[in-house]
Amino acid sequence: MGFEIIMPRIRRELYNKEICACSIFGAMNQGGERVSASGVMKAIANMRVRGNGLGGGFAAYGIYPDYKDYYAFHLMFTGKSPQAKQEAKLELEDFLSSRFDVVNDEEIPHDDEVKLRDPPLVWRYFVLPKEGWDDSGIVPSEGDYIADQIMAVNAGIDNAYVFSSGKNMGCFKGVGYPEEVGEYFMLDRMYRAHTWTAHGRFPTNTRAWWGGAHPFSLLDTTVVHNGEVSSYGTNRWYLEMYGYACTLQTDTEVIAYAADLLMRRQKLPLEVVAKILAPPIWNSIDRLPEKERKLLTTLRMVYGPLLMNGPFAVIIGTTGRMIGLTDRIRLRPITAATRGETFYISSEEASIRLISPELDRVWTPNGGEPVVAELKSTKKVLI
């Protein structure tokens, strides 16, 4: 009797989860000159292959000179029906009227000819806290008061989300490719900013929805992110102890809140913040001179739960500053460049050269080391 031996064909199953995509781009005119979004939209569109059309967005600084002293709240109302969206809007406006003086509000202009998936009702309010907001003496600062109210809205009012809340700046985001989101909000036609950041999304762990698109923002801090924060659970637990409510269903949210906690509330130097978020490994710390070794050991002990584990590259924006940072071993790409007074940060050099073919300097920042662009003066920003 013969036997036919059939050897099973062993095939290597390809890893079908894409975790190295997403595109980030930033441009700052350090002289404070405000420019349109056309260049940034062109640059981020050049990295279209890094996304899949499930999220895109922009942050812009210096766009509201007529309301520069007011907080610009951008709201999205995401109910499944027009009635649900209006009900959320009415509840939100009742909330605002009891806590803020609203000097102007309007629907954020958009182009309905640009077709994006399931667009929410998107509105903006220019506000200041009502007189007496600090009578209790419990809230340390106006910024903390604003942040507390944003957390209350995002966690407590169904279908209402504050996705931008700084002064003289704003975020615009949605489900689509970033250039489509830019066209939807007519960014190249309606706004001029001294600093633009942009993001093209390839969701890995969470569903695609408007609130989950980047940038993530709190007050004037914005974050666009490429990568995956595997320490999200620990980071979230730590931030919740300081009153931050993570409600937007993606890991990038913790980076924005960590930046707010460390830079605004605790006023730590940027170099220290970078060593908290992306510290050297212990073997490297052990080989450092004693003074530096003690500092980094202390930071790891005190701020261990804020270590952002996993591969990442981020651009953090604040008023007057744009920061690029990668994980400590640089598992996600980032390139920096300058031309005249313009400073660029990008996932790919090609996107920078597309809008600025001749550059004065191009370099690749080291892992865990921040690259920083700053305005030379804030006076031009306020004109």
Side-chain angles (χ1 to χ4, degrees):
M1 180 181 294
F3 294 90
E4 182 181 5
I5 300 177
I6 301 176
M7 296 295 292
R9 184 179 180 186
I10 300 175
R11 301 183 64 183
R12 176 175 175 265
E13 291 295 327
L14 295 178
Y15 192 59
N16 60 9
K17 177 182 174 184
E18 177 59 64
I19 60 172
C20 61
C22 291
S23 54
I24 59 176
F25 189 89
M28 169 187 277
N29 184 289
Q30 294 179 279
E33 179 183 353
R34 296 188 299 136
V35 299
S36 81
S38 57
V40 172
M41 288 171 61
K42 185 177 180 180
I44 198 72
N46 192 56
M47 295 183 279
R48 185 183 178 98
V49 70
R50 285 181 164 269
N52 61 0
L54 295 181
F58 300 80
Y61 291 83
I63 58 172
Y64 294 133
D66 293 339
Y67 294 96
K68 64 181 183 296
D69 296 323
Y70 297 88
Y71 295 96
F73 284 7
H74 289 193
L75 269 291
M76 61 176 67
F77 303 102
T78 60
K80 293 183 179 180
S81 67
Q83 180 181 355
K85 295 174 183 178
Q86 287 297 330
E87 288 174 354
K89 182 173 179 289
L90 289 174
E91 184 176 355
L92 179 279
E93 290 177 349
D94 285 343
F95 179 93
L96 290 182
S97 65
S98 65
R99 295 163 173 82
F100 296 93
D101 293 322
V102 181
V103 298
N104 191 20
D105 73 280
E106 62 181 352
E107 187 173 8
I108 295 181
H110 58 274
D111 185 352
D112 286 325
E113 295 299 313
V114 179
K115 300 302 180 184
L116 297 183
R117 180 187 300 183
D118 192 24
L121 176 62
V122 185
W123 213 268
R124 61 187 169 204
Y125 303 82
F126 295 96
V127 307
L128 283 177
K130 283 187 176 294
E131 187 175 348
W133 65 267
D134 57 347
D135 285 350
S136 67
I138 298 174
V139 183
S141 70
E142 184 174 283
D144 289 330
Y145 178 80
I146 299 294
D148 287 347
Q149 306 316 307
I150 292 168
M151 297 299 153
V153 170
N154 289 353
I157 300 180
D158 289 342
N159 300 321
Y161 298 93
V162 182
F163 65 96
S164 184
S165 52
K167 290 183 177 181
N168 200 16
M169 56 79 61
C171 294
F172 305 85
K173 62 183 185 176
V175 176
Y177 284 100
E179 64 272 21
E180 295 171 343
V181 174
E183 292 167 359
Y184 180 78
F185 287 112
M186 302 181 287
L187 299 185
D188 54 339
R189 289 179 275 166
M190 296 202 63
Y191 304 96
R192 301 182 71 82
H194 57 76
T195 304
W196 290 94
T197 65
H199 184 266
R201 193 178 186 210
F202 196 122
T204 54
N205 290 316
T206 54
R207 66 186 178 93
W209 72 294
W210 280 63
H214 301 209
F216 283 86
S217 173
L218 182 62
L219 294 167
D220 74 332
T221 298
T222 62
V223 172
V224 291
H225 165 224
N226 170 22
E228 187 167 7
V229 179
S230 58
S231 56
Y232 169 78
T234 299
N235 303 147
R236 175 177 177 171
W237 164 79
Y238 184 87
L239 290 164
E240 285 175 343
M241 294 194 302
Y242 288 88
Y244 296 94
C246 296
T247 57
L248 299 178
Q249 305 171 26
T250 185
D251 54 359
T252 310
E253 189 176 17
V254 298
I255 304 176
Y257 297 162
D260 178 74
L261 172 64
L262 299 173
M263 296 168 62
R264 180 186 64 84
R265 292 175 62 177
Q266 299 187 354
K267 296 180 172 54
L268 296 179
L270 178 58
E271 295 76 12
V272 172
V273 173
K275 296 304 181 186
I276 292 171
L277 301 181
I281 60 176
W282 282 113
N283 286 346
S284 297
I285 293 175
D286 290 340
R287 294 193 295 267
L288 293 172
E290 182 179 4
K291 184 177 180 180
E292 190 174 358
R293 184 175 69 250
K294 286 184 176 180
L295 171 62
L296 291 176
T297 299
T298 300
L299 293 177
R300 288 293 299 267
M301 294 173 67
V302 174
Y303 292 103
L306 279 187
L307 183 155
M308 299 293 164
N309 203 23
F312 71 83
V314 297
I315 300 175
I316 301 172
T318 63
T319 299
R321 182 183 279 184
M322 181 176 70
I323 305 154
L325 180 69
T326 70
D327 61 86
R328 54 194 173 187
I329 53 177
R330 200 178 167 276
L331 291 172
R332 290 294 178 269
I334 201 169
T335 297
T338 60
R339 175 62 175 176
E341 291 193 309
T342 304
F343 196 110
Y344 299 100
I345 302 173
S346 177
S347 296
E348 299 179 5
E349 182 180 338
S351 288
I352 300 175
R353 291 195 179 274
L354 180 65
I355 61 174
S356 183
E358 299 297 327
L359 297 170
D360 299 329
R361 184 187 176 203
V362 184
W363 72 100
T364 299
N366 293 327
E369 298 291 336
V371 56
V372 184
E374 294 183 311
L375 289 179
K376 295 177 180 177
S377 171
T378 59
K379 292 181 180 179
K380 291 184 180 179
V381 178
L382 301 179
I383 293 176

